[in-house]
Amino acid sequence: MHDILTVSVTVFMGFFAIMNPIANTAVFIGLTSNQTHQQQKATAFKALFTAFCIVSAFCLLGKGIFEVFGITLPALRISGGILVFLVGYHMLQGSSSSMHSDQSEGGSTNTPPSDGQDVAISPLALPILAGPGTIATAMNYSAAGGFLSIAVTISAFALLCLISLVCFIYGQKLVSLLGENGISIVTRLMGLILTVIGMQMGIQGIHDARELLNQAPR
């Protein structure tokens, strides 16, 4: 029971750091500034539901994807650790990673879209909420064990989606309360946590890779 609780907290904190609901709330407000409050609610729900479906799909199909492409868990942990580390590094510098923002064609994440453009799927769901780092983190935790690991990972992400939904709905008040300095501090703290998580994933991946190579027939 203690091990399950420890894993659950670790998975949740990993997702919390990489998604950073506080900083994403400021992004959400910027992208939906031309919408009414009801439209913002609908956009928030659609974006988070889409992100949840994407991450859940990778959790459930992770092992199948490994088998189809011949990917090993150590390879995922090393590459996923690098991705998560880079996201955290950019956050430590006070900027968002290009892997979790929509910077195509010189666009800015906080630039309001033109009227009629649906931002729920892109850029909110992809790549801001369910970017490569989030997917790599989900697959790393879920592929490490059986059904219990998958259930814990999906449940932790579902809880974070609910927290993000509340933050998005009350985003104006939250951003006004924290201010730019408060959001910057939270972003940098989450970045520090992410760099440590990314490094740990990489170290575990290297350790597992060495064991895998030692077990291989010579």
Side-chain angles (χ1 to χ4, degrees):
M1 183 67 183
H2 181 265
D3 290 339
I4 296 176
L5 181 61
T6 302
V7 171
S8 300
V9 172
T10 301
V11 173
F12 177 79
M13 288 305 299
F15 278 136
F16 189 93
I18 202 164
M19 277 185 65
N20 195 358
I22 307 298
N24 279 343
T25 298
V27 175
F28 174 80
I29 294 300
L31 287 171
T32 61
S33 59
N34 61 341
Q35 296 182 357
T36 65
H37 187 60
Q38 289 300 321
Q39 289 175 328
Q40 286 181 332
K41 283 185 178 180
T43 299
F45 181 81
K46 184 177 180 180
L48 288 164
F49 180 74
T50 302
F52 173 77
C53 290
I54 292 170
V55 171
S56 297
F58 275 97
C59 287
L60 294 170
L61 302 175
K63 288 189 176 180
I65 294 173
F66 284 4
E67 293 176 1
V68 170
F69 293 100
I71 302 171
T72 62
L73 184 58
L76 172 69
R77 282 179 168 160
I78 294 172
S79 58
I82 293 172
L83 283 174
V84 173
F85 180 88
L86 288 175
V87 174
Y89 175 78
H90 283 289
M91 290 170 64
L92 269 173
Q93 306 306 310
S95 61
S96 61
S97 169
S98 59
M99 290 187 293
H100 283 72
S101 60
D102 182 27
Q103 302 290 348
S104 59
E105 299 181 4
S108 172
T109 309
N110 292 311
T111 301
S114 57
D115 292 339
Q117 181 180 344
D118 186 6
V119 298
I121 305 299
S122 177
L124 274 175
L126 280 169
I128 294 174
L129 296 174
T134 307
I135 293 172
T137 301
M139 291 183 66
N140 174 70
Y141 287 129
S142 62
F147 175 78
L148 184 60
S149 296
I150 295 174
V152 168
T153 304
I154 293 177
S155 299
F157 191 75
L159 178 59
L160 184 57
C161 285
L162 288 176
I163 294 174
S164 298
L165 181 62
V166 174
C167 290
F168 286 179
I169 291 175
Y170 297 99
Q172 295 284 5
K173 295 180 179 178
L174 183 62
V175 171
S176 299
L177 180 65
L178 291 176
E180 290 187 8
N181 290 335
I183 293 175
S184 176
I185 291 171
V186 172
T187 299
R188 291 174 190 271
L189 286 175
M190 295 299 102
L192 177 61
I193 293 174
L194 273 187
T195 53
V196 175
I197 290 175
M199 186 63 70
Q200 181 61 44
M201 288 171 62
I203 291 171
Q204 185 65 46
I206 294 172
H207 175 268
D208 293 347
R210 289 183 60 185
E211 290 196 347
L212 190 65
L213 291 174
N214 290 335
Q215 294 173 2
R218 298 181 183 279

